[in-house]
Amino acid sequence: MRRHGDFAPSGPLRFLFTGLFISLWTWKCVMLVVFQNKIIYMPGLPPNARRETIANYAHMCGGIQWTEERTKAADGTSLGMAVTTVRAPGACGSSPITDWKPRARVFVLYFQGNASSIPPRLPDLSWVLRAISDGRDRVPVPLELTFVCLSYRGYWTSKGRPSEKGIRLDAEAGLRWIADQHQKRARGSGEKPIILIWGQSIGCGVTTNLAATGRLPEDVTIDGLLLETPFLSLRAMLSVLYPQRWLPYQYLWPFLRNQLDSWSNLGLIAGSSEERGGVLPNIFILEADRDELVPKAHGEALFQRCQDVGIPVEKGAAPVAYHSEAIARGEGKKIAAQALMSLIKRALEQQGRG
């Protein structure tokens, strides 16, 4: 017998509450699917991200001079880039400036994570560049090292709206720009450039997409990949972000329009090596020791995947660093610089210039 003041919903009310709960649940699922690009790519965070300028951070770059350049994707989307070039003297020391001539040209194409913009990243990247150019760990030959930080469509000063399909075109445009620049500098000498791709977080998926299935310019090969805080795929991250079995979100992967599947891409990279004469890119995986977003198991699985498919791979971890801090702390910067040096040296050896 119900006591005075107790409330038990009647049959119609229970049906109404249950229907409301299911409706809200379904609505959230639909919103996650429909607006997944806005959830995955966040060019407007923080709110001033698209108004940042290189000049805002120039005083923090330790003398490295960055300039804004522009290129266009195959669909006509205008893209912004931050670009700089430094000299690495090589093991024999630096020649007088008037006589200096690089024996190798290295291009690093950088892909950022899913939020903010390129300018705030320039001080940390500049430190890495200085560590290479000042000769702390000398490369075998004098190098000209060019960093190209590509801004995805919808980010910073780039036009358009971000999506994996569109960003694939952006990545290819960045590589074409590098190929054009090399041709201008090499002046028909036939010299082959060393091209490294550096991806951070979702940028790792962009990196492996480009290396696995990208349309590369003629006579261009990707010599090395630096994967900073990588994850297996967006499908795998759904289970990380929504581990509760009673929530439906991790089961929405069939509706993903964005995959960023580095695990599968590594297999494609290895499988297509025969087309490139059996040459595989070298890979370095840089993890954040205290990564609060991507489980360590993801980096370990990618490392093992490389070994299983025969891709040369190394791995390091930035101590006391969270997901977005891998190169924000001194030790992480050193590891990133050493990783690039290792990739450069391996590429020189493969080209017979080591």
Side-chain angles (χ1 to χ4, degrees), residues 39 58 122 129 148 158 179 198 201 204 216 225 281 284 312 334 342 354:
I39 296 169
L122 298 182
L129 272 166
V148 180
S158 296
W198 180 348
S201 192
C204 295
L216 308 186
L225 310 178
F284 192 101
K334 292 178 183 178
S342 176

Side-chain angles (χ1 to χ4, degrees), residues 206-266:
V206 178
T207 295
T208 58
N209 277 349
L210 180 60
T213 59
R215 292 170 293 183
L216 308 186
E218 189 177 356
D219 298 326
V220 165
T221 58
I222 296 173
D223 299 287
L225 310 178
L226 173 52
L227 305 180
E228 178 190 342
T229 58
F231 51 81
L232 289 170
S233 66
L234 285 180
R235 175 181 176 178
M237 286 303 296
L238 275 176
S239 297
V240 172
L241 297 173
Y242 305 106
Q244 302 89 350
R245 292 185 177 276
W246 56 275
L247 287 175
Y249 312 136
Q250 63 176 293
Y251 307 111
L252 296 176
W253 62 264
F255 302 100
L256 279 173
R257 299 189 300 276
N258 302 266
Q259 302 297 325
L260 297 172
D261 190 343
S262 290
W263 193 89
S264 296
N265 283 337
L266 291 174

Side-chain angles (χ1 to χ4, degrees), residues 189-206:
S189 66
E191 171 193 312
K192 186 175 176 59
I194 293 172
I195 297 179
L196 310 178
I197 316 294
W198 180 348
Q200 188 262 327
S201 192
I202 68 164
C204 295
V206 178

Side-chain angles (χ1 to χ4, degrees), residues 261-293:
D261 190 343
S262 290
W263 193 89
S264 296
N265 283 337
L266 291 174
L268 293 173
I269 292 169
S272 63
S273 66
E274 292 183 4
E275 300 175 10
R276 301 187 298 268
V279 177
L280 287 165
N282 298 285
I283 293 180
F284 192 101
I285 296 173
L286 173 58
E287 299 174 310
D289 187 53
R290 296 184 179 178
D291 199 319
E292 78 286 10
L293 181 61

Side-chain angles (χ1 to χ4, degrees), residues 42-118:
M42 302 178 184
L45 289 178
N48 67 332
R50 301 205 64 186
R51 297 191 299 274
E52 298 274 25
T53 67
I54 292 175
N56 294 151
Y57 296 88
H59 66 288
M60 302 168 63
C61 292
I64 301 295
Q65 302 294 317
W66 295 88
T67 60
E68 183 178 353
E69 305 287 348
R70 301 204 70 80
T71 190
K72 283 189 176 182
D75 63 355
T77 302
S78 178
L79 306 171
M81 301 177 293
V83 179
T84 192
T85 298
V86 299
R87 295 172 174 178
C92 297
S94 118
S95 303
I97 221 79
T98 54
D99 300 329
W100 191 89
K101 183 179 180 181
R103 287 185 54 194
R105 287 183 171 84
V106 179
F107 293 87
V108 180
L109 181 56
Y110 176 84
F111 298 130
Q112 68 167 79
N114 73 325
S116 189
S117 60
I118 292 296

